[in-house]
Amino acid sequence: MNDGDGRQDDTSRSLNFDNLKVISALGRGAKGVVFLARTGDRSSNECLALKVISKALILQKKLKNHKNDDDEYTRVSFEEEVLSRFDHPLLPRLRGVLETNGVVGFAIDYCPGGTLHSLRKKQTEKMFSDDTIRFYAVELTLALEYLHSLGIVYRDLKPENVMIQENGHVMLVDFDLSKKLNPKSLQWLNRNSSPSPNSQKHTGKRRLSRFYSFCNSGISPCDSDSEPQLGIDSARRTESDSVEKSNSFVGTEEYVAPEIVSGKGHGFGVDWWSLGVVLYEMLYGTTPFKGENRKETFYRILTKEPELTGEKTALRDLIGRLLEKDPDRRIEVEEIKGHDFFKGVKWDTVLQIARPPYIPQNEVENKVGFSKNDVELFVDELFFPKSDDGAEKIEKVEEKNGNGENNKTVWVDDFNYAPTQNQDFLIF
């Protein structure tokens, strides 16, 4: 586990391909490719996940969405900025940024255990025991609580975005859909949040890297598409009552909350809904509202109750309360931590557990890897194929560097998926 003190000492570090050994491609997403890289000489044991994004793709999306304040261009910039502020053992450190003529990118901690999704798939019945679910639920709750204490709503909690660190603890990744909500009452928010003791020294800093300078399109700590929350008659004061609401339509369809689908504005409660979906999936091996297509999935999210089959347990009760369609009645952090499912949990010491349910093996082959030109070619051919043999060209780059099939499966299983029309639902 990384110590809290000085976790962000590397944030202003400038990386280049002279001080990085890019070993293999781990996966791709809507905007870029993640590579496994080592720092320093080839004997170094420090591995990084290097997210590389095409400059041409960023500029293309900027021109396409020039009237949209919440476009991909802004998200890329925001992700780098929020990573630089994190000081929590369940969130990644920004280890440095880089830029070439063709790409920009940043490095974060590498997690050798893959994703919570891939771990569930390895289980005999593709489901977890209640005790295992409890462990991961506790850590996800702590990670979300920290994000919310910074005023950040995550908006993309799903098993594919939950990585397993070398020590077995989780790490949330992919923050390009996250948003900094504008506080209505900063005093109330500070009084009811519990950030890391070392986080305050980082949250007020704004680091301007070359990456940020290239991507920035006028982003401010609080995004501009938030609207005030009006006309709510609630008997209790919730964490979302203290902030403006966002009306952006983002997320991964099976995990999005009803208020996102309906477009009525949303706050921190969307993350607790997504936590309920994740817990349901861990318990039953499937998500609760999945339909034959996106339209049917959204209809189920808005109208159907989750089928919590089996005996009544504290876990099923918690899932049901998280999957409350009315965000004003949905359970939130203090009620979650006090729920019977977590009875006996020592929240202040859970991160000190030396033996989580799964400890991955961290064996990374020390290969020659990709050159700077190889990385640029790889990314360019994925997003701007110049001919029908683009996939073949990429395979040749991999072949040249001796990379096998197993190197592709840590974050995303398939490089060659076809992006859907709505890029908001493509997460990297």
Side-chain angles (χ1 to χ4, degrees), residues 69-71 73-75 77-82 85 150-152 178-183 203 205-206 208 212 215-226:
D69 290 333
D70 197 29
D71 60 14
Y73 188 81
T74 301
R75 292 177 191 161
S77 175
F78 182 73
E79 181 174 18
E80 187 266 346
E81 185 181 3
V82 296
R85 299 183 178 190
L150 299 181
I152 296 171
S178 300
K179 181 179 286 290
K180 181 75 162 62
L181 296 181
N182 185 28
T203 55
K205 296 181 180 179
R206 184 183 182 90
L208 296 178
Y212 180 88
C215 294
N216 182 38
S217 60
I219 185 174
S220 63
C222 299
D223 284 333
S224 60
D225 70 344
S226 300

Side-chain angles (χ1 to χ4, degrees), residues 16 22 40 48 70 82 86-87 131 138 140 185 210 252 285 288 346 368 371 385 407:
N16 59 62
V22 180
L48 302 175
D70 197 29
V82 296
F86 291 158
D87 181 21
D131 288 340
V138 165
L140 292 174
S185 173
R210 288 185 298 166
T252 301
K346 297 180 180 179
V368 175
S371 68
N407 292 322

Side-chain angles (χ1 to χ4, degrees), residues 362-392:
N362 187 11
E363 297 180 0
V364 177
E365 295 184 42
N366 212 344
K367 299 180 180 180
V368 175
F370 290 76
S371 68
K372 176 177 76 72
N373 290 338
D374 288 337
V375 169
E376 290 181 329
L377 175 63
F378 193 103
V379 174
D380 186 66
E381 284 294 341
L382 272 175
F383 295 99
F384 299 98
K386 296 178 177 62
S387 63
D388 293 336
D389 64 346
E392 182 180 341

Side-chain angles (χ1 to χ4, degrees), residues 253-254 289-298 300:
E253 57 191 59
E254 294 175 47
F289 305 107
K290 184 176 181 179
E292 294 295 326
N293 51 51
R294 180 179 297 169
K295 183 177 180 180
E296 183 180 347
T297 297
F298 288 165
R300 289 173 176 266

